[in-house]
Amino acid sequence: MRALIVDDSRATRAVLRRLLHGLSFDGIAEAGDGRQALEELSANGPADVALVDWNMPVMDGLEFVSRVRSDTANDVMRIVMVTTEADADHMVSALEAGADEYAMKPFTAAVIRDKLALLGVV
């Protein structure tokens, strides 16, 4: 399984990378913003799952999700927003843009594992 972590926080990326590695993901790519993540997808094709922060410089998570979903080549990729945005309006916006699941920071390993299980990627 391949994963893409999109977050401007190195610490968050490290936590998610360790968690995904423990769940037997064999390819884990990282990006610090949505633009870098689109470049990663362009170079290597869609991952099985992307874990995406909302608030990032250059291109935020919502725009990234919208752009990913506008390309049918990425239809197989599942997207989990992992963000501090906790209100219902943000959740609805993310799901309408094409996110498959939504997890709030701070998160636990169990929450991420459960979201991935719901999506059938673990």
Side-chain angles (χ1 to χ4, degrees), residues 60-81:
D60 68 26
L62 189 64
E63 184 177 349
F64 169 76
V65 171
S66 295
R67 288 196 185 193
V68 164
R69 291 302 184 219
S70 71
D71 182 351
T72 58
N74 297 315
D75 284 354
V76 298
M77 187 167 67
R78 299 291 145 241
I79 299 174
V80 180
M81 293 294 291

Side-chain angles (χ1 to χ4, degrees), residues 5-100:
I5 302 168
V6 188
D7 198 303
D8 58 323
S9 166
R10 286 185 192 160
T12 299
R13 291 195 315 263
V15 168
L16 288 170
R17 182 177 55 250
R18 281 193 303 274
L19 182 107
L20 292 171
H21 184 65
L23 294 172
S24 299
F25 279 81
D26 54 8
I28 302 170
E30 297 180 28
D33 62 60
R35 186 180 324 170
Q36 289 176 357
L38 288 177
E39 291 168 1
E40 168 64 28
L41 294 177
S42 178
N44 298 306
D48 296 295
V49 65
L51 303 172
V52 182
D53 185 24
W54 189 303
N55 297 303
M56 297 179 288
V58 184
M59 179 187 295
D60 68 26
L62 189 64
E63 184 177 349
F64 169 76
V65 171
S66 295
R67 288 196 185 193
V68 164
R69 291 302 184 219
S70 71
D71 182 351
T72 58
N74 297 315
D75 284 354
V76 298
M77 187 167 67
R78 299 291 145 241
I79 299 174
V80 180
M81 293 294 291
V82 182
T83 181
T84 58
E85 299 298 342
D87 63 83
D89 289 341
H90 279 92
M91 288 183 216
V92 169
S93 294
L95 296 171
E96 286 177 346
D100 298 293

